[in-house]
Amino acid sequence: MMMVGGPQDEISLGSTPPRLSKSKYLSGLQCQKRLYLEIHHPALATPPDASTRAILDMGTEVGEWARRRFDGGRLVQAGYRQTEAALTQTAALMTDHTVPAIFEAAIQADGVLIRVDVLERLSNGQPDQSTWRLVEVKSSTKVKDVHLDDLSLQRHVLLQAGIQVAACALMRINTGYVYAGGIVDLEQLFAIDDVSSLVEERQSKVNEKLAIMKSMLAGPTIPVVEPDDHCLVPYECPFWKHCTKDKPARWIFHLPGSKKLATDLVAQGIETIDEIPPQTRLTIVQRKVKDNLEWVSKDLSAQLRTVAFPVHHLDFETFNPAIPRYPRTRPYQSIPIQWSNHIEQVDGALVHHEFLHVEMNDPRRPLAEGLLKSLGEEGSICVYSPYEKSVIEQLAEALPELRVELRRLIKRIWDLHPIVKDHYYHPEFGGSFSLKEVLPAVVPSLRYDDLAIRAGGQAAAEYYRMVFVEMDWVERATIRESLLRYCERDTLAMVELRRALKEKSGHL
Ligand code: SF4
């Protein structure tokens, strides 16, 4: 992170120092400007998109499941905006020795207010000297540095508040668990890692870091920080759009691939892709972005002709619930729930088939049976990533009775993605060969912005809502329709992309 001294926008400050929280502290570790903007100018942040909201919702659901692992635990009912009530309720629960664990415990000390996911009572002392285990719940599958920073701050606040912390743990999803059906085995679903010593190692730095953040927040100016690769780690900063709004269209950080190269080039005083010195080692894709020209390989036409008619254009949508829903599945296992198939005959005639599972039971068998019928025995199966192949392989693994037929499909798969990547480039790709970038550049008439669902993550979240949450049949019908139109667009996009590329290759 490059931090530059000197004033930027002057701001006026109130007399009360702003209170920090777990998330604010982590923001401050990532970037001082981020913390400053979150406290003083939150409206400048880009709101989370539908896919990000879905991830946050999944985290909430995992948190609720995690509480079931602590028999007799009690939830602090006061919400995040009811600080005084939350502090009072927590204090009452802590002095009640019959309460073995407190969920969402509110503790405030040293100018920081935290809500602890689980504060588990390990022993009762006299009169109020219980010892506690601090448990942070994450929907993650492994321990990350950011979790340890989070726990070190919480431990700091608890110690400052005079609470005896005997251990620190991270409770996370165990992807090795295979759900057998019936009641979910919470002992297996969650792994609890004791990270006490790792948290203690970081403890000594918390004081110092908090002091720096508080003094920065008390200052009259926004810290001047240049956006670079630090803005994406550990989380993409919501102020990215704000901080980069005045950057040139061909700004060096728009170069795809490793952000380290862009950081090195910035250190040499290079601001745009066009200024990259000719001797710089670039990948093939980076070179195409630098050249910024439409390019058609002489082999494109021959590559496109390797397809066999009738051409099936196939796309799956999947969802991957943290809490497994179907027997013999694991947490986060991708479960196909939908497919679309546009079939193009040699004369150009187009037929569309589609499938969407709307029941609460396992979709895989009916989905696979319908798929086999739709794909028949003939023609290429055009896809736009290796993902469809892996879904079919997983279906074959899960459904022994259909295994032979499903595996036969794999031999017919014809992937358009590497053909585009190796034989065509358009400046509007910006170095990305994802269908969402390629389509508007090659087939401008066909876009995604008229659809209610526009991304895979959003589709997965909406599917979950339609099947497991939503009770209103009108709302369910609306989601169903949106899902069908989204998947249909993906396969129609492949049809039109193949046609447009054929046209371009014909002009050589
Ligand atoms: S975009 Fe980067 S520089 Fe701007 S606030 Fe976020 S992390 Fe800091």
Side-chain angles (χ1 to χ4, degrees):
M1 168 187 349
M2 184 183 294
M3 214 172 144
V4 189
Q8 202 187 28
D9 311 88
E10 292 280 333
I11 61 148
S12 60
L13 292 167
S15 52
T16 324
R19 188 168 52 200
L20 292 173
S21 63
K22 291 196 281 188
S23 65
K24 297 274 187 302
Y25 176 75
L26 295 177
S27 293
L29 291 186
Q30 181 175 5
C31 172
Q32 294 203 11
K33 183 176 179 184
R34 174 175 179 170
L35 172 60
Y36 198 98
L37 292 175
E38 280 182 8
I39 298 262
H40 297 296
H41 299 281
L44 295 177
T46 304
D49 61 16
S51 301
T52 310
R53 284 201 304 275
I55 293 169
L56 296 174
D57 289 347
M58 192 188 281
T60 306
E61 190 194 4
V62 166
E64 286 165 6
W65 275 84
R67 290 176 201 155
R68 303 182 194 184
R69 176 106 181 238
F70 299 86
D71 272 348
R74 298 265 300 275
L75 175 67
V76 173
Q77 299 288 347
Y80 271 69
R81 290 176 188 278
Q82 301 163 296
T83 304
E84 290 312 317
L87 290 167
T88 308
Q89 285 173 23
T90 303
L93 290 169
M94 287 182 81
T95 50
D96 180 350
H97 287 186
T98 65
V99 176
I102 304 167
F103 310 132
E104 296 296 331
I107 310 289
Q108 183 167 246
D110 198 14
V112 186
L113 172 71
I114 56 168
R115 298 294 293 258
V116 180
D117 289 341
V118 184
L119 194 55
E120 186 185 19
R121 194 186 304 270
L122 292 184
S123 71
N124 281 326
Q126 292 303 323
D128 282 333
Q129 292 300 300
S130 300
T131 58
W132 302 86
R133 178 162 74 154
L134 163 61
V135 183
E136 173 71 8
V137 180
K138 290 287 176 206
S139 50
S140 170
T141 58
K142 59 182 184 204
V143 180
K144 297 177 184 167
D145 275 354
V146 65
H147 303 149
L148 300 175
D149 285 328
D150 189 337
L151 278 162
S152 4
L153 173 77
Q154 294 184 60
R155 185 171 181 271
H156 170 83
V157 174
L158 292 176
L159 294 178
Q160 292 285 313
I163 297 163
Q164 292 192 40
V165 183
C168 296
L170 186 90
M171 188 170 178
R172 60 174 175 85
I173 295 287
N174 166 27
T175 49
Y177 167 51
V178 180
Y179 173 52
I183 293 169
V184 172
D185 183 340
L186 296 173
E187 297 288 321
Q188 290 292 319
L189 174 66
F190 289 104
I192 301 185
D193 301 300
D194 184 287
V195 288
S196 304
S197 54
L198 293 170
V199 170
E200 277 167 44
E201 274 169 28
R202 287 167 190 245
Q203 200 66 63
S204 60
K205 295 270 190 282
V206 175
N207 245 333
E208 188 189 318
K209 286 171 179 167
L210 274 175
I212 294 170
M213 288 179 203
K214 287 174 188 170
S215 122
M216 179 275 297
L217 287 170
T221 57
I222 298 177
V224 182
V225 183
E226 270 299 305
D228 59 27
D229 49 350
H230 83 277
C231 307
L232 307 174
V233 184
Y235 305 115
E236 193 176 322
C237 175
F239 296 101
W240 176 259
K241 260 198 186 148
H242 166 72
C243 288
T244 60
K245 65 183 188 312
D246 299 323
K247 296 293 178 193
R250 300 263 292 156
W251 184 42
I252 195 74
F253 274 94
H254 294 323
L255 189 69
S258 152
K259 294 293 171 236
K260 185 181 176 309
L261 174 63
T263 307
D264 292 348
L265 290 167
V266 168
Q268 295 168 39
I270 291 159
E271 203 193 352
T272 68
I273 293 168
D274 302 309
E275 296 165 50
I276 298 174
Q279 70 278 11
T280 309
R281 279 185 64 174
L282 299 175
T283 64
I284 294 171
V285 175
Q286 287 169 336
R287 180 65 55 197
K288 284 176 181 165
V289 173
K290 174 160 165 41
D291 294 345
N292 206 25
L293 296 169
E294 186 176 12
W295 168 78
V296 186
S297 133
K298 62 179 175 30
D299 296 328
L300 178 61
S301 176
Q303 287 291 328
L304 292 171
R305 281 200 305 269
T306 59
V307 78
F309 285 88
V311 187
H312 300 266
H313 300 77
L314 176 67
D315 182 63
F316 288 113
E317 294 305 325
T318 58
F319 86 131
N320 49 347
I323 317 298
R325 290 282 173 176
Y326 315 115
R328 297 180 305 284
T329 62
R330 295 171 192 275
Y332 292 123
Q333 181 173 333
S334 278
I335 308 290
I337 40 102
Q338 172 179 19
W339 53 256
S340 166
N341 179 17
H342 271 95
I343 309 159
E344 188 186 26
Q345 304 295 338
V346 73
D347 63 0
L350 210 56
V351 176
H352 181 230
H353 296 167
E354 62 189 358
F355 174 92
L356 172 61
H357 193 74
V358 293
E359 310 299 330
M360 287 176 92
N361 60 353
D362 191 338
R364 289 175 295 176
R365 194 186 166 98
L367 176 140
E369 285 172 345
L371 181 72
L372 287 166
K373 215 164 148 195
S374 174
L375 292 172
E377 302 280 335
E378 289 183 342
S380 298
I381 301 170
C382 173
V383 295
Y384 198 82
S385 79
Y387 190 63
E388 272 59 38
K389 183 178 169 204
S390 76
V391 171
I392 294 173
E393 277 167 348
Q394 284 168 38
L395 281 171
E397 201 55 45
L399 304 167
E401 63 284 10
L402 300 176
R403 191 168 291 158
V404 174
E405 289 162 275
L406 285 165
R407 287 199 173 141
R408 227 181 273 143
L409 298 178
I410 290 169
K411 296 196 187 84
R412 291 165 54 199
I413 284 182
W414 186 87
D415 194 344
L416 183 57
H417 178 261
I419 294 179
V420 176
K421 201 162 179 226
D422 295 344
H423 299 281
Y424 180 72
Y425 186 74
H426 190 287
E428 284 176 30
F429 290 3
S432 165
F433 291 88
S434 83
L435 200 51
K436 305 283 183 299
E437 301 297 330
V438 166
L439 190 66
V442 183
V443 190
S445 57
L446 201 58
R447 308 180 74 89
Y448 285 84
D449 42 19
D450 60 320
L451 298 176
I453 293 176
R454 299 173 195 174
Q458 186 187 4
E462 286 295 276
Y463 179 78
Y464 184 83
R465 190 159 76 84
M466 174 181 79
V467 174
F468 298 105
V469 180
E470 193 56 63
M471 301 303 287
D472 183 281
W473 71 268
V474 177
E475 186 61 19
R476 284 167 58 93
T478 307
I479 300 172
R480 179 181 176 276
E481 185 60 19
S482 304
L483 284 165
L484 287 171
R485 298 297 65 84
Y486 171 65
C487 199
E488 178 189 33
R489 185 65 54 90
D490 270 343
T491 52
L492 184 60
M494 281 187 264
V495 174
E496 296 300 336
L497 186 57
R498 266 189 53 246
R499 287 176 173 171
L501 290 172
K502 215 162 122 191
E503 184 86 356
K504 285 178 185 291
S505 69
H507 291 307
L508 280 175

